[in-house]
Amino acid sequence: MKKSLFLNPPSFDGYDGGAGARFQAKREIKSNWYPTWLAQPAAMVPGSKLVDAPASGKTLDDCLKLAKDYELLVIYAGAATYASECKVAEAFKAANPNIMIGMVGAHVATVPEVSLMASEAVDFVARHEFDYTIVEVAEGKPFAEIDGLTFRGEDGKPVHTKDRTLIHDMDALPYVGPVYRRDLNPEDYFIGYIRHPYMAFYTGRGCKSKCSFCLWPQTIGGRVYRARSAASVIEEVKLARQMFPEVREFFFDDDTFTDDLERVEEIARGIGHLGVPWSCNAKANIPRKTLEVLKANGLRVLVVGYESGVQEILNNIRKGLRIDIIKRFSQDCHELGIVLHGTFILGLPGETKETIKQTLAFAKEVNPRTLQVSMAAPYPGTELYEQAIANGWFKQDKELLMKETGGGGYQVAALSYPDLTSEEIFKGVAEFYKAFYFRPAKIGEIVWEMLQDWDMMKRRLREGVEFFQFLRTRNKPMEC
């Protein structure tokens, strides 16, 4: 077994490539998500080490100190930062010419040939669901015999082995908690709407929804929700509770944890007695009776992808939701005391200046406690990416999703429409944030929350500084 190093590479200060690669850029407030997609194969390779450079504050020089100690380096790569990840690979290869280097993640799964040939330092790309692929690489199995691999042949040209089948026995995967305990510090991970310190898990992969913009279901997870049994999830949470008594909240990071209502109710009942609040991603169509079960068993926050408040846009992106159902769900959550964090996207197909106003009004009406506003990101491998090419929506280089110079990690407005320019989309984000948060009622709500908890007081004050800095400095990408 090769001595293996799993690396979430250093990047821009404040850059968040986590969240399942749903939104790769600097956020309005700094956050760090657990590198679960690397922790899973790390848990399957004996003697491995996981390094999360952004969360732990490690520089490239810090990471390179490990180069000579390992035979295999696995780097988690993203579309917006792939050039940077190649430089990391090249630095490791220079420090240890014998180290084998592979790239994993949704981006390299989508464009494996381009990813492999981008740098001679990259020895292979593990496509799609890569857990067992990496295990076989670490075992020393010949590349040609490993499913789901792209590597250089003797002639230097890319060679693709057959695709690896999706994992359906999710219970066969080991828990990631022991890797977290061994290699990570929970204090390094924080999200604005989750209690600190928190801990995140994936209990399943894939998503039954067909949203045209969402990266992972279209590239790695698949359009079917493959989940671990409720009993396995309950056991993992119990184990994590014992291993990490300092953790104040658990977060289930599945694309849509609530896709299987019977399963999520069983999990809730199984962990409710542990006394630790939990949160998850959710679709805005959970029936009230299920919400009541979840709330009674520790649910604190639902992270909801609202995306837009305009039915036509929801239809365009195949969200599969009706505005009236979303409003009823949101009202149920408010009445039951479930905190909502809403995510919205500006610049989806059909967007105009008027629909942005309508979505803002909708956001104020459903009134999540907190929200995130991003710009439509047409990642390679998504239906939105293909639509943008076919319709000429890309304003500039179709590979440009983030500015690496000047703006230092901030997302750019990649799309432009006849009735809505990329500049208007970009400016719309800051205007949306200000119009939502700078209201007397919302300010009062936040102040009241701060007065109830000294730790929350300190967090919100720090986040306020970061938020205003975000508004002030994000304009730089548009000037570059």
Side-chain angles (χ1 to χ4, degrees):
M1 184 71 70
K2 296 182 184 296
K3 194 172 183 184
S4 304
L5 175 64
F6 293 84
L7 177 65
N8 190 21
S11 188
F12 303 99
D13 180 43
Y15 175 83
D16 186 3
R22 295 179 185 88
F23 179 71
Q24 298 169 305
K26 282 189 177 181
R27 295 171 183 259
E28 63 279 7
I29 59 173
K30 189 174 181 179
S31 60
N32 283 327
W33 294 72
Y34 280 81
T36 311
W37 278 92
L38 279 181
Q40 189 66 77
M44 300 164 71
V45 177
S48 67
K49 182 177 180 62
L50 172 61
V51 173
D52 187 354
S56 60
K58 288 183 173 61
T59 65
L60 178 56
D61 286 340
D62 294 329
C63 298
L64 287 175
K65 294 175 183 177
L66 300 171
K68 296 186 184 303
D69 298 331
Y70 291 89
E71 302 167 281
L72 172 64
L73 172 65
V74 178
I75 298 176
Y76 179 88
T81 53
Y82 194 68
S84 175
E85 273 108 44
C86 284
K87 292 178 181 178
V88 172
E90 290 161 2
F92 266 85
K93 191 72 83 169
N96 179 5
N98 295 319
I99 196 170
M100 181 184 292
I101 301 178
M103 297 288 196
V104 298
H107 177 63
V108 300
T110 304
V111 287
E113 286 193 18
V114 173
S115 302
L116 178 70
M117 303 309 288
S119 173
E120 292 185 359
V122 180
D123 296 301
F124 69 88
V125 165
R127 305 191 311 274
H128 306 298
E129 205 165 33
F130 50 80
D131 310 81
Y132 288 108
T133 301
I134 294 301
V135 170
E136 292 180 6
V137 170
E139 290 173 341
K141 192 173 182 179
F143 281 0
E145 299 176 12
I146 301 175
D147 291 350
L149 210 65
T150 296
F151 61 96
R152 288 183 181 81
E154 293 183 0
D155 59 0
K157 296 181 179 179
V159 175
H160 304 280
T161 62
K162 69 176 182 179
D163 287 343
R164 183 172 292 275
T165 57
L166 289 176
I167 301 169
H168 286 279
D169 183 7
M170 300 300 290
D171 283 0
L173 297 174
Y175 297 151
V176 296
V179 174
Y180 288 175
R181 180 78 284 169
R182 183 191 71 195
D183 295 331
L184 306 180
N185 178 6
E187 292 289 337
D188 291 337
Y189 297 91
F190 45 86
I191 309 173
Y193 45 87
I194 302 294
R195 289 177 179 171
H196 180 263
Y198 86 105
M199 184 159 291
F201 306 109
Y202 281 99
T203 75
R205 296 177 182 174
C207 180
K208 293 187 292 187
S209 300
K210 294 178 169 47
C211 302
S212 63
F213 62 89
C214 197
L215 179 65
W216 281 69
Q218 297 183 72
T219 57
I220 288 186
R223 295 296 197 188
V224 59
Y225 184 45
R226 298 163 289 120
R228 287 177 23 219
S229 65
S232 176
V233 176
I234 293 167
E235 184 60 32
E236 177 166 31
V237 175
K238 288 180 179 178
L239 177 63
R241 186 75 182 103
Q242 296 170 2
M243 295 176 66
F244 302 92
E246 71 273 28
V247 167
R248 298 182 62 204
E249 188 160 339
F250 291 110
F251 183 78
F252 299 112
D253 202 14
D254 305 31
D255 285 298
T256 311
F257 182 66
T258 56
D259 261 3
D260 185 335
L261 297 179
E262 183 177 346
R263 173 179 175 269
V264 77
E265 288 185 20
E266 184 179 352
I267 292 172
R269 292 188 175 100
I271 65 176
H273 68 282
L274 297 178
V276 181
W278 58 275
S279 306
C280 66
N281 293 315
K283 197 169 182 178
N285 61 353
I286 306 172
R288 186 181 179 107
K289 64 178 182 178
T290 295
L291 290 173
E292 290 172 349
V293 172
L294 305 188
K295 174 62 179 177
N297 288 280
L299 172 65
R300 197 181 72 85
V301 180
L302 290 178
V303 181
V304 181
Y306 289 108
E307 325 310 358
S308 174
V310 179
Q311 188 65 61
E312 181 181 358
I313 292 178
L314 295 181
N315 294 343
N316 289 344
I317 62 174
R318 299 199 294 162
K319 185 69 180 176
L321 282 176
R322 297 201 324 252
I323 293 293
D324 61 322
I325 297 296
I326 297 173
K327 289 182 178 180
R328 184 189 312 156
F329 157 85
S330 301
Q331 183 60 37
D332 286 342
C333 288
H334 289 313
E335 291 175 358
L336 293 171
I338 297 171
V339 176
L340 294 174
H341 174 77
T343 65
F344 293 85
I345 302 175
L346 304 188
L348 292 166
E351 194 82 276
T352 65
K353 287 184 283 188
E354 182 57 34
T355 61
I356 291 177
K357 293 178 182 178
Q358 292 174 23
T359 295
L360 174 59
F362 170 81
K364 291 178 178 179
E365 180 179 354
V366 297
N367 196 32
R369 175 77 59 83
T370 54
L371 57 70
Q372 171 190 311
V373 186
S374 59
M375 294 171 284
Y379 287 106
T382 64
E383 182 181 337
L384 178 59
Y385 180 84
E386 299 301 327
Q387 288 178 318
I389 292 177
N391 292 282
W393 292 338
F394 278 107
K395 181 196 175 187
Q396 47 200 339
D397 183 354
K398 64 178 180 296
E399 304 300 329
L400 186 61
L401 298 173
M402 181 198 73
K403 273 289 187 182
E404 295 199 30
T405 59
Y410 288 106
Q411 188 186 23
V412 301
L415 302 180
S416 186
Y417 303 100
D419 297 324
L420 187 70
T421 67
S422 59
E423 288 79 8
E424 289 170 329
I425 296 171
F426 186 85
K427 292 178 181 177
V429 170
E431 293 170 355
F432 198 110
Y433 272 125
K434 289 186 285 188
F436 181 82
Y437 278 115
F438 298 167
R439 298 176 287 151
K442 178 56 68 174
I443 292 172
E445 182 181 310
I446 293 173
V447 170
W448 176 251
E449 180 188 40
M450 292 165 62
L451 292 174
Q452 305 306 302
D453 186 327
W454 173 241
D455 286 338
M456 183 59 71
M457 171 80 75
K458 292 184 290 185
R459 282 186 73 182
R460 290 293 182 240
L461 290 175
R462 174 182 58 79
E463 291 167 356
V465 173
E466 292 176 355
F467 179 68
F468 282 106
Q469 184 178 16
F470 166 84
L471 294 178
R472 185 178 68 253
T473 60
R474 69 183 289 272
N475 290 319
K476 292 181 180 178
M478 300 305 291
E479 298 167 357
C480 295

